[in-house]
């Protein structure tokens, strides 16, 4: 995929409906966009009221004029459906479009994202609008894609949502008896004898039935995806075949983005890291962003490039502290997303509005609209660099390693009472494993447990507590066929209903790992255990599982406590592959040592042969006969990287050998052609 004729997209959200009475500004925008090297903007995200000032009276003239003028100047439009916020008149005319909160109270008018995805009225209004937009602009040469709604999320507890929830459960379970069994409702005498009595979990009602909690989250995600599909259908029925996306929010916990995989034609993502804080180093934050980008890319059907739909050209207004990006950081962080598979750098937003809550959010143009500013120049530089790198556009990120991050598993684990109510730290653990690979220059996909494992040689499944049917079998086949699997404590304990498996655990995988679990110790803050592996002493904290190594080989053991001498790290040959198991939460250096060894053993090597100082990493995109290596320095100071191979600077064409010097917060893009591999 390359949406724009093999050009990276550069530009972002544009809200001219806030400036309709200022034709001078609208004319100036286009000229300034060209000087900023903008080639794509997103129009109409929050334009509903301008498009339909009163019920049924559509006026698309401003969109028509903007799309045409921009196109005449070589700037393309991603056209949004405006369903992320409703006009005031609609909420008064049809109160049912507003959400009902967990306590059963309907929200008042206002805000965005404050609408019910089930409401037939909201669906009808959205469909009529989307069809009309598609009819009018769906074949416009200036429009390249549809942006459905905005940052889907949240939930509604209205009667209509409850009815839809019960229908969802009827399809899922077939009978109330099956539901009662799946939810273990004999607990506390909560057996249902009527579908009408099934109520969503709330803080004033039921929250202890974990199967209900999990199914409610599934339902909310399903219903939101269904609304998205509804909008897509309206666009198609309006006669437009253009590709469709919606902007995701990375690790947002309210949705399972996998539900959108078969709806969207490509994924896009809004990324707002708060660089330069005192809470984590830029390198640590960059790792988190790398992991998020890898997750977003894998939410796409075919792992084609995705789009960075929003990022800030300077600061946000909603981070606790809005620290300015240090020189170099705008380029580095923009290129990082490209390195992880984005075919765009798009911003929120083009021009700062004068009022309301985003008036101090960073934008390409400040209130004075001058181009003599660092932010404008930074944006220009990114635009120019993307133009010079156009040969990379459309190329892929194709790792041979994958880390499993499964949203249903996250929901179940985080809802679980015990063994650590004070914080199970699933997401941190996934990121920690991803970080260990990233720091070694080993690219990884971040996939959910239903994804095919065929492309991988190394699969890491941290804390894969919930196993849907087929998952254990797929992991088993993967190892049997020659793959290397890393599993950890808290694996394979419950089924898709959050019901504990009977028999030995990790369920379905005891033969693969050659061990079974006895119990798990949860440690207080300040308590720890230790292990020594390959000469490295590592601290173990939070969770220490006790396992019996039936046929597994023990690689390292607990040093302390009554379970001293019992396994911490094991390996088990199975079929043509190997299954490693880690029984405790280990500090980073154990994971680094582990992946440094088993990466190459399993056929997964760093994408560049070099010695990286701390805070420096490399990510690879591949084309048919070229690999592009994005070498990133997340330190504020200059670093030297010792290269063990000869590469070419992708921009200057000059050969690069021996030592690569990177200034603070800089990124160099090198390439390796097929004959050099
Ligand atoms: C995003 C949202 C944009 C804008 C931006 C500000 O979450 O989609 O509309 O509000 O945040 O950072």
């Amino acid at each position: 995929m390359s949406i724009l004729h093999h050009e990276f997209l550069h530009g972002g959200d544009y809200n001219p409906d806030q400036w309709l009475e200022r034709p001078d500004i609208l004319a100036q925008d286009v000229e300034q966009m060209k000087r900023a090297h903008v080639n794509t903007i997103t129009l109409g995200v929050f334009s509903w009221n301008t498009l339909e000032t009163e019920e049924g009276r559509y006026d698309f003239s401003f969109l028509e004029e903007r799309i045409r003028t921009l196109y005449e100047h070589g700037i393309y439009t991603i056209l949004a459906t405006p369903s992320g916020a409703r006009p005031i008149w609609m909420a008064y005319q049809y109160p049912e479009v507003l959400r009902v909160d967990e306590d059963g109270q309907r929200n008042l008018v206002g805000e965005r994202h404050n609408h019910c995805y089930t409401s037939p009225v909201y669906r009808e209004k959205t469909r009529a609008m989307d069809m009309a937009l598609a009819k009018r602009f769906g074949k416009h040469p200036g429009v390249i894609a549809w942006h459905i709604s905005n940052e889907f999320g949240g939930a509604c507890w209205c009667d209509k949502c409850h009815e839809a929830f019960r229908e969802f459960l009827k399809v899922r379970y077939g009978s109330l008896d099956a539901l009662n069994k799946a939810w273990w409702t004999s607990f506390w005498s909560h057996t249902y004898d009527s579908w009408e009595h099934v109520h969503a979990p709330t803080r004033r009602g039921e929250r202890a039935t974990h199967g209900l909690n999990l199914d409610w989250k599934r339902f909310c995600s399903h219903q939101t995806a269904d609304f998205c599909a509804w909008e897509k259908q309206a666009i198609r029925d309006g006669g437009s075949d253009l590709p469709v996306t919606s902007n995701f929010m990375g690790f947002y916990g309210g949705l399972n983005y996998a539900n959108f995989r078969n709806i969207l034609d490509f994924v896009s993502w809004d990324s707002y890291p708060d660089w330069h804080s005192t809470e984590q180093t830029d390198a640590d934050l960059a790792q988190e962003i790398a992991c998020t980008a890898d997750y977003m890319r894998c939410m796409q059907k075919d792992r084609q490039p995705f789009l960075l739909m929003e990022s800030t050209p300077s600061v946000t207004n909603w981070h606790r502290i809005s620290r300015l990006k240090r020189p170099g950081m705008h380029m580095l962080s923009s290129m990082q997303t490209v390195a992880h598979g984005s075919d765009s750098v798009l911003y929120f937003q083009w021009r700062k509005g004068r009022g309301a809550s985003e008036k101090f959010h960073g934008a390409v143009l400040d209130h004075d609209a001058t181009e003599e500013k660092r932010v404008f120049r930074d944006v220009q530089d990114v635009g120019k660099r993307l133009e010079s790198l156009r040969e990379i556009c459309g190329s892929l990120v194709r790792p041979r390693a994958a880390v499993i991050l499964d949203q249903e598993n996250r929901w179940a684990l985080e809802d679980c009472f015990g063994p650590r109510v004070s914080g199970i730290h699933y997401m941190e653990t996934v990121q920690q494993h991803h970080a260990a690979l990233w720091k070694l220059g080993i690219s990884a996909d971040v996939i959910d447990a239903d994804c095919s494992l065929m492309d991988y040689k190394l699969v890491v499944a941290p804390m894969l507590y919930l196993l849907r049917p087929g998952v254990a079998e797929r992991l088993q086949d993967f190892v049997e066929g020659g793959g290397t699997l890393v599993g950890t404590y808290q694996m394979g304990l419950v089924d898709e209903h959050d019901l504990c498996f009977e028999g030995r655990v990790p369920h379905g995988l005891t033969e693969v790992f050659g061990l079974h679990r006895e119990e798990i110790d949860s440690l207080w803050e300040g308590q720890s255990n230790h292990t020594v592996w390959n000469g490295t002493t590592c601290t173990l904290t939070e969770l220490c599982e006790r396992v019996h190594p039936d046929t597994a080989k023990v690689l390292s053991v607990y040093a302390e406590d009554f379970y001293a001498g019992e396994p911490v790290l094991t390996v088990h040959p199975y079929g043509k592959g190997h299954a490693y198991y880690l029984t405790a939460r280990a500090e980073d250096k154990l994971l680094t040592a582990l992946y440094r060894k088993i990466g190459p053993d399993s056929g997964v090597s760093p994408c560049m042969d070099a010695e990286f100082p701390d805070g420096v990493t490399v990510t690879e995109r591949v084309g048919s006969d070229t690999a592009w290596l994005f070498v990133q320095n997340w330190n504020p100071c200059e670093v030297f990287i010792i290269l063990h191979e000869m590469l070419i600077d992708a921009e200057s064409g000059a050969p690069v050998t021996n030592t690569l010097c990177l200034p603070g917060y800089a990124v160099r893009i090198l390439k390796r052609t097929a004959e050099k591999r």
Side-chain angles (χ1 to χ4, degrees):
M1 180 200 82
S2 164
I3 291 203
L4 193 56
H5 324 302
H6 303 288
E7 287 286 345
F8 284 110
L9 309 191
H10 185 234
D13 279 23
Y14 177 38
N15 294 304
D17 33 331
Q18 294 173 17
W19 300 95
L20 290 182
E21 288 167 6
R22 294 294 305 274
D24 57 324
I25 285 191
L26 298 183
Q28 199 181 313
D29 277 337
V30 181
E31 292 307 321
Q32 292 191 291
M33 282 177 190
K34 288 198 298 186
R35 288 196 288 276
H37 292 255
V38 162
N39 60 19
T40 304
I41 54 85
T42 305
L43 270 176
V45 184
F46 297 114
S47 299
W48 199 325
N49 198 52
T50 316
L51 302 172
E52 190 181 6
T53 41
E54 58 185 86
E55 189 170 13
R57 258 181 72 141
Y58 294 139
D59 179 357
F60 295 169
S61 50
F62 103 91
L63 266 188
E64 177 84 54
E65 185 281 327
R66 283 290 82 185
I67 293 173
R68 180 177 36 79
T69 308
L70 290 161
Y71 180 56
E72 284 167 2
H73 288 83
I75 299 169
Y76 290 86
T77 295
I78 296 175
L79 188 54
T81 67
S83 64
R86 307 120 284 107
I88 297 280
W89 60 256
M90 192 190 293
Y92 277 103
Q93 218 147 316
Y94 304 100
E96 75 156 61
V97 302
L98 295 173
R99 274 184 199 169
V100 168
D101 71 13
E102 202 178 329
D103 295 332
Q105 248 203 328
R106 193 168 296 281
N107 286 351
L108 299 177
V109 69
E111 271 294 343
R112 58 179 174 179
H113 306 157
N114 175 17
H115 38 261
C116 169
Y117 295 127
T118 308
S119 157
V121 171
Y122 199 59
R123 286 191 171 218
E124 269 321 309
K125 294 277 158 221
T126 302
R127 178 174 166 79
M129 169 59 74
D130 294 356
M131 276 184 71
L133 284 171
K135 263 189 199 137
R136 181 77 163 266
F137 302 110
K139 294 193 170 22
H140 194 295
V143 179
I144 55 171
W146 290 97
H147 174 302
I148 294 190
S149 207
N150 186 64
E151 294 191 337
F152 279 120
C156 171
W157 279 257
C158 74
D159 291 346
K160 292 194 166 57
C161 282
H162 273 97
E163 279 164 33
F165 180 41
R166 289 175 199 125
E167 289 311 310
F168 171 85
L169 295 172
K170 282 179 194 167
V171 172
R172 192 170 168 79
Y173 293 105
S175 74
L176 208 49
D177 187 42
L179 175 141
N180 277 314
K181 287 198 171 102
W183 289 1
W184 206 253
T185 53
S186 46
F187 180 73
W188 290 351
S189 235
H190 287 171
T191 305
Y192 295 96
D193 55 16
S194 158
W195 286 104
E196 300 313 304
H197 296 166
V198 177
H199 193 283
T202 72
R203 58 187 154 236
R204 288 176 48 224
E206 182 66 275
R207 282 199 303 182
T209 302
H210 287 180
L212 163 68
N213 297 350
L214 188 55
D215 277 338
W216 172 248
K217 290 196 172 99
R218 283 186 177 121
F219 164 74
C220 292
S221 187
H222 158 90
Q223 198 68 350
T224 311
D226 187 67
F227 184 85
C228 180
W230 170 267
E231 287 214 62
K232 180 176 179 182
Q233 193 55 50
I235 290 168
R236 296 289 179 252
D237 292 346
S240 176
D241 292 330
L242 288 172
V244 159
T245 190
S246 186
N247 47 344
F248 288 173
M249 296 181 282
F251 290 153
Y252 171 66
L255 293 173
N256 183 359
Y257 286 132
N259 294 152
F260 292 72
R261 201 175 261 138
N262 292 324
I263 300 170
L264 300 178
D265 297 310
F266 64 94
V267 158
S268 56
W269 170 43
D270 297 349
S271 175
Y272 291 101
D274 45 354
W275 301 114
H276 319 305
S277 79
T278 48
E279 288 174 0
Q280 67 190 137
T281 63
D282 288 326
D284 285 346
L285 180 54
Q287 187 287 314
E288 193 178 313
I289 298 303
C291 185
T292 318
D294 289 340
Y295 180 57
M296 292 285 91
R297 186 184 62 249
C298 295
M299 281 302 148
Q300 208 144 261
K301 275 195 283 279
D302 41 15
R303 297 198 192 121
Q304 292 290 310
F306 63 99
L307 295 189
L308 175 65
M309 186 59 87
E310 291 182 25
S311 60
T312 177
S314 62
V315 289
T316 71
N317 61 335
W318 50 265
H319 283 145
R320 224 155 41 81
I321 309 284
S322 298
R323 190 133 166 92
L324 294 178
K325 284 186 214 170
R326 281 21 225 169
M329 183 52 95
H330 181 64
M331 177 66 76
L332 174 60
S333 55
S334 299
M335 287 300 155
Q336 181 191 24
T337 322
V338 172
H340 283 264
S342 170
D343 267 0
S344 72
V345 175
L346 299 168
Y347 310 113
F348 179 86
Q349 62 175 332
W350 166 250
R351 175 186 287 275
K352 275 186 190 171
R354 291 187 57 206
S357 69
E358 288 181 336
K359 60 181 175 292
F360 292 122
H361 191 290
V364 180
L365 286 181
D366 207 338
H367 295 122
D368 58 9
T370 172
E371 295 171 27
E372 300 311 312
K373 285 199 164 173
R374 197 172 70 102
V375 168
F376 193 87
R377 285 193 296 269
D378 275 357
V379 165
Q380 272 179 324
D381 289 347
V382 168
K384 279 190 242 165
R385 199 162 182 192
L386 289 173
E387 284 164 9
S388 76
L389 292 169
R390 60 170 62 85
E391 63 168 345
I392 303 178
C393 188
S395 64
L396 304 175
V397 180
R398 271 293 148 89
R400 310 301 302 220
V403 180
I404 296 182
L405 189 180
D406 188 89
Q407 191 74 336
E408 291 197 352
N409 183 57
R410 174 186 183 181
W411 289 336
L413 256 180
E414 290 177 353
D415 194 33
C416 193
F417 274 52
R420 271 187 69 82
V421 174
S422 77
I424 198 77
H425 298 148
Y426 172 60
M427 295 301 282
E428 291 84 344
T429 307
V430 168
Q431 283 177 49
Q432 195 199 7
H433 285 265
H434 182 276
L437 295 165
W438 183 76
K439 285 178 186 157
L440 292 169
I442 297 176
S443 299
D445 276 345
V446 179
I447 58 174
D448 50 274
D450 292 330
C451 288
S452 156
L453 305 177
M454 265 169 46
D455 289 341
Y456 307 114
K457 294 184 165 180
L458 171 66
V459 169
V460 185
M463 302 176 80
L464 194 55
Y465 161 82
L466 177 145
L467 294 179
R468 286 185 295 279
V471 172
E473 290 79 353
R474 236 188 352 274
L475 291 171
Q476 177 172 359
D477 289 348
F478 169 71
V479 182
E480 199 160 16
T484 300
L485 172 67
V486 178
T488 76
Y489 51 93
Q490 285 298 88
M491 185 172 197
L493 298 187
V494 301
D495 69 7
E496 79 272 28
H497 307 300
D498 209 351
L499 283 178
C500 291
F501 286 116
E502 294 178 67
R504 288 185 163 180
V505 292
H507 179 80
L509 292 164
T510 50
E511 288 192 11
V512 176
F513 289 112
L515 52 74
H516 69 276
R517 153 175 158 147
E518 180 168 335
E519 57 185 349
I520 193 159
D521 193 13
S522 182
L523 278 58
W524 288 82
E525 272 68 32
Q527 294 179 334
S528 61
N529 206 314
H530 293 92
T531 194
V532 181
W533 182 57
N534 264 358
T536 313
T537 304
C538 299
T539 306
L540 309 168
T541 55
E542 293 198 351
L543 290 166
C544 293
E545 198 173 70
R546 295 188 53 228
V547 300
H548 295 273
D550 304 317
T551 45
K553 179 173 167 204
V554 179
L555 299 176
S556 88
V557 295
Y558 289 109
E560 287 139 41
D561 221 321
F562 72 92
Y563 43 85
E566 293 182 5
V568 169
L569 184 64
T570 64
V571 62
H572 187 234
Y574 184 82
K576 294 190 200 141
H578 289 87
Y580 288 80
Y581 195 86
L582 179 63
T583 62
R585 180 155 296 156
E587 65 178 318
D588 295 349
K589 63 182 172 185
L590 180 67
L591 301 190
T592 307
L594 178 66
Y595 294 120
R596 181 168 284 133
K597 177 177 170 353
I598 69 172
D601 285 358
S602 59
V604 177
S605 304
C607 54
M608 194 168 125
D609 193 4
E611 288 159 37
F612 298 116
D614 278 351
V616 175
T617 193
V618 60
T619 316
E620 179 186 49
R621 282 183 75 154
V622 291
S624 50
D625 57 1
T626 308
W628 291 273
L629 304 154
F630 290 68
V631 190
Q632 305 147 51
N633 178 16
W634 296 98
N635 302 292
C637 55
E638 183 179 69
V639 293
F640 294 89
I641 298 143
I642 316 286
L643 300 179
H644 299 308
E645 59 177 324
M646 208 268 276
L647 296 159
I648 309 285
D649 186 299
E651 289 157 283
S652 70
V656 183
T657 42
N658 303 326
T659 305
L660 178 67
C661 169
L662 269 187
Y665 299 130
V667 51
R668 275 285 281 282
I669 299 144
L670 308 177
K671 68 179 178 183
R672 184 197 290 130
T673 46
E675 25 333 330
K676 292 260 175 266
R677 280 178 179 230

